Amino acid sequence: MTKLRQTAITAMACFGRWRGSPQVWLSFALGFIACFLLSQKVVDFAAEQDTLLQLFEPFIWTFGDANSILLISLCLLLLFGDMPNLGNEAPFFLVRTSRFCWMAGQLLYLTLATTLFVLFILVSTCVLCGARAFSGNMWSETAAILGYSSIGESIAVPAFVKVLELTFPYQCALHIFGLMLGYSLVLSALIFFFNLLRGRMGMLAGAAFSGFGFFLSPQVITEWFHLGPTEGRIANILFGWISPLNHATYYMHNFGYDNLPRLADSYGIFAAAGLAVYLLSFWRVRKYPFNFTGTER
């Protein structure tokens, strides 16, 4: 119990830095601005059609798209770019506890902060559409218009028919939240590990991870190599499994009639990848050369 308490106190000390950190507030502010810019076209379309939205639909249509997930996840580069926390309190924690407890506290903070950020994104989209939203677990007339016509494609809102026909808003929003969270946790873990490994190389590693997912998307591969319909379907399945960004995209999953990853597969891959990076971080901290420049005069 003592080690659990020390771990929790270490994590809370990391959260205590938020009050005076413009970097943290800027990350959340940029996340909210991105939510506004990405979801506003859905709200504006509902206003033009004089229809209502289900409360979670702006989140579903906005972050069911890989490009939106990529944009929001880049805010994590700013939020965790200075991890691990080596402020003036770090020597105290290392002396009073151990490297293991200190690392566990850092990773607990990383997990909780990432979850809080993704939850903030979900709540922000709900607040932005609140004036035209209802809370029932059924698709709105706006969703039907976007999904069963070409209007959604023309205004770049990914309202897919298979999503409308096979799921309900609450379940769909929960899965999109879970996939975003899994992708974000792996990204934040990589930022943290490479900061430990190479000294502030985490932001480059995070950017490379995001770029890897983007450039391996089926749409990009199809356009680059001018693939035909048959080759395009093969690329869709192949890179749907390879690209981590596609694993975070809800509609890029198997709903019973193709060979794309199932939701359980993506959750398992994110959990295994995140756990592997966390274990590597514990391995690295054993020989990490601490340099507390903040305590020098």
Side-chain angles (χ1 to χ4, degrees):
M1 291 300 294
T2 301
K3 291 187 179 298
L4 290 177
R5 181 172 175 272
Q6 291 172 345
T7 298
I9 292 174
T10 303
M12 293 306 298
C14 293
F15 278 109
R17 298 173 58 246
W18 282 23
R19 288 176 295 178
S21 174
Q23 174 181 334
V24 171
W25 296 110
L26 181 60
S27 301
F28 279 87
L30 290 176
F32 183 82
I33 292 171
C35 286
F36 173 78
L37 295 176
L38 293 171
S39 64
Q40 190 61 32
K41 54 190 173 184
V42 181
V43 179
D44 289 343
F45 177 78
E48 292 172 3
Q49 300 295 317
D50 195 25
T51 55
L52 295 177
L53 289 162
Q54 205 280 338
L55 184 63
F56 292 115
E57 280 180 359
F59 177 75
I60 291 169
W61 305 137
T62 298
F63 296 105
D65 179 66
N67 293 331
S68 298
I69 296 173
L70 177 62
L71 178 62
I72 285 295
S73 66
L74 292 179
C75 295
L76 296 174
L77 296 178
L78 182 61
L79 183 60
F80 298 122
D82 62 346
M83 290 290 291
N85 173 26
L86 295 178
N88 292 339
E89 72 282 0
F92 171 79
F93 282 109
L94 288 168
V95 170
R96 295 296 299 271
T97 61
S98 65
R99 289 194 178 208
F100 178 86
C101 287
W102 178 84
M103 173 58 73
Q106 297 289 315
L107 294 180
L108 176 61
Y109 160 75
L110 199 71
T111 303
L112 294 177
T114 304
T115 304
L116 182 62
F117 181 81
V118 178
L119 184 62
F120 171 79
I121 297 301
L122 172 62
V123 172
S124 296
T125 56
C126 294
V127 169
L128 289 169
C129 75
R132 302 195 63 86
F134 64 91
S135 59
N137 191 21
M138 59 183 295
W139 297 111
S140 68
E141 184 180 353
T142 307
I145 296 172
L146 291 172
Y148 290 97
S149 69
S150 60
I151 298 176
E153 187 175 338
S154 65
I155 64 174
V157 176
F160 292 93
V161 174
K162 70 178 182 180
V163 175
L164 296 175
E165 293 182 344
L166 298 175
T167 62
F168 291 96
Y170 280 19
Q171 294 90 323
C172 185
L174 182 63
H175 281 304
I176 292 176
F177 177 86
L179 293 171
M180 276 188 65
L181 179 60
Y183 178 83
S184 299
L185 283 172
V186 174
L187 175 61
S188 58
L190 284 172
I191 295 171
F192 180 81
F193 172 68
F194 276 92
N195 276 344
L196 282 175
L197 186 65
R198 292 294 180 184
R200 303 308 176 189
M201 292 291 289
M203 294 188 71
L204 289 178
F209 177 75
S210 299
F212 173 79
F214 174 76
F215 289 115
L216 286 185
S217 66
Q219 296 83 359
V220 173
I221 294 295
T222 300
E223 291 177 3
W224 277 3
F225 295 99
H226 306 289
L227 301 179
T230 302
E231 294 83 359
R233 284 193 294 271
I234 296 174
N236 189 62
I237 295 171
L238 177 62
F239 293 102
W241 279 95
I242 295 175
S243 170
L245 191 57
N246 286 329
H247 281 285
T249 307
Y250 182 70
Y251 70 86
M252 287 293 296
H253 285 84
N254 186 339
F255 288 91
Y257 52 84
D258 54 32
N259 294 315
L260 289 169
R262 296 182 182 275
L263 291 168
D265 296 329
S266 294
Y267 290 137
I269 289 171
F270 284 138
L275 179 61
V277 179
Y278 279 14
L279 291 176
L280 286 173
S281 298
F282 276 109
W283 165 80
R284 171 56 182 162
V285 80
R286 295 170 58 191
K287 297 182 179 180
Y288 182 71
F290 287 96
N291 182 20
F292 302 108
T293 56
T295 61
E296 294 179 355
R297 294 185 179 181

